[in-house]
Structure formats: structure tokens, C-alpha cells
Amino acid sequence: VVSNFWTDTLVLGMWLFVVIHLCSCLLSVVSVLEVQNGNAQAWAAGELLDSGGSSCRRFYMLSWYYTATTVTSIGYGDITPQNSDERLVASAVMILSQLYFAKVFADLTFLTSMYNQWTLQRHQRMTQTRSALESMNIPKTLIQRVQACQTYVWDMQKERRAKNCFEDLTTQLQEEVKLVLYSRLVMQVPFLQTLDARALRFLIGRLSDQVFLPADFIICRGDI
């Protein structure tokens, strides 16, 4: 859950930078066209008409700064649209960017609330389990093994935590979910690769998870 939270947050941030980049390119194109048409009243006219010239990197950074202050509604006032075309485009960028920012903050709020909810559930379960085991005078080594098992299931076997969500699904849908979860694992067994689809479906439908810790002894039927 932690890794998914930070991954989704990073994706939101990357898309935010992409949107600012696209808006920056749009505002730059409008200003460049105005200057090429002989209109010296453009937000980038001073930079473009400078006798020393402007490098692409310098112009892009200036455009990025102008766009960032526009979409965030900060507007320091040092760079402003200078003609009607630029004002029209800047107004459209501000309106659309505010709608996108609202969506970004809504998604971030949802991700944060879900992360806090899963973290709270995990903390409550671990605390309740430890308190119950300590009240029964269970040895500390066994308590540690129990909580290690819970930690492993919580972090690695997410499908076990989601079983309650699948209880109201039809039998057909539950089988399809199991096929997605276990088909790759089953197909790694050489002698199972020759079975037909119906046999594999029957086999996968009857699989169940068993969790073993490093200190556990695994004895299969027929080993003794």
C-alpha cells in the first residue's frame, strides 16, 4: 500500500508537470507568432528581440516560469500578456488549469485517505493481535512469528486482504479472479503445461494460499 501510494502520487506530479509543459509551449507559440508578425507588444518580445539573442534553454525557462505563475493564479506581475490574443489564450489556460488542479487535489485527497485507512487498519489489527496474545501469556517468540506472518500477508499477499471484497461476487467471477491470480504460477510447472484449459481451470479453482515463515518446517504427504 505504501509503495502504491507513493507511485500514484508521483504519477500525479508527473502529469502536473506535463500539463504545465504543454501550456508553456502553447503560450510560447502564441508569443513567437506575435513577434514574427511584427507585433512588438508580446510577453516574450523583450527576450526574443534582445540584440544578444535568446537561447532555447533560457527562453523555455522563462516560458515555464510565466506558465507556472499563470496556472497557479499567483501572477507576480513581472510577465503579463501584452495583447488581446495573449490575454485570450492566457484566460483559457487559467480556467482549464484550475479545473485540472481541482482534479489533482481531489485525487491526492482520495489517495491520502485510502493510505491512512489501510495504515489504520493494519495498526489496529497488529495491536489487537499482540494484546490478545499477551493476555493469553503466549511466549514472545511466538508473538513475533504471528506478527511476522501478519506483516507478510499484509505486504505481499494483497489478495488475502481483499477476500472480503470478493464475497459478493458470483462463482463465475470468483473463478476468473483466481485464474488471473494463479494461472502464471501454475503454468511454471512443466507437467501442468500439457493439461487442457478445462483441467487447468478446475485445478486453479481449488487452489488456496498457505503462508509459511522461515522458521516453519514444511512436511508434505508421503515425506514421512
Side-chain angles (χ1 to χ4, degrees), residues 103-171:
K103 179 184 182 302
V104 169
F105 284 118
D107 292 343
L108 186 60
T109 302
F110 173 77
L111 291 175
T112 304
S113 62
M114 290 298 297
Y115 169 74
N116 292 336
Q117 178 183 354
W118 282 107
T119 303
L120 179 61
Q121 289 183 5
R122 176 176 183 171
H123 179 72
Q124 288 179 342
R125 179 169 298 183
M126 298 286 288
T127 303
Q128 290 174 357
T129 302
R130 186 175 188 87
S131 299
L133 294 176
E134 289 178 347
S135 65
M136 293 184 289
N137 297 323
I138 302 297
K140 288 186 177 181
T141 55
L142 182 55
I143 294 177
Q144 292 175 354
R145 293 180 58 206
V146 170
Q147 297 210 302
C149 178
Q150 288 182 323
T151 301
Y152 174 78
V153 171
W154 193 273
D155 293 337
M156 304 302 297
Q157 294 191 325
K158 299 179 178 62
E159 66 276 5
R160 290 174 65 93
R161 291 190 279 116
K163 279 187 175 180
N164 294 333
C165 302
F166 302 146
E167 290 179 353
D168 57 344
L169 297 180
T170 63
T171 304

Side-chain angles (χ1 to χ4, degrees), residues 24-44:
S24 175
C25 294
L26 176 62
L27 295 175
S28 299
V29 169
V30 173
S31 183
V32 170
L33 291 177
E34 290 290 337
V35 174
Q36 288 180 348
N37 291 332
N39 187 1
Q41 291 186 348
W43 70 265

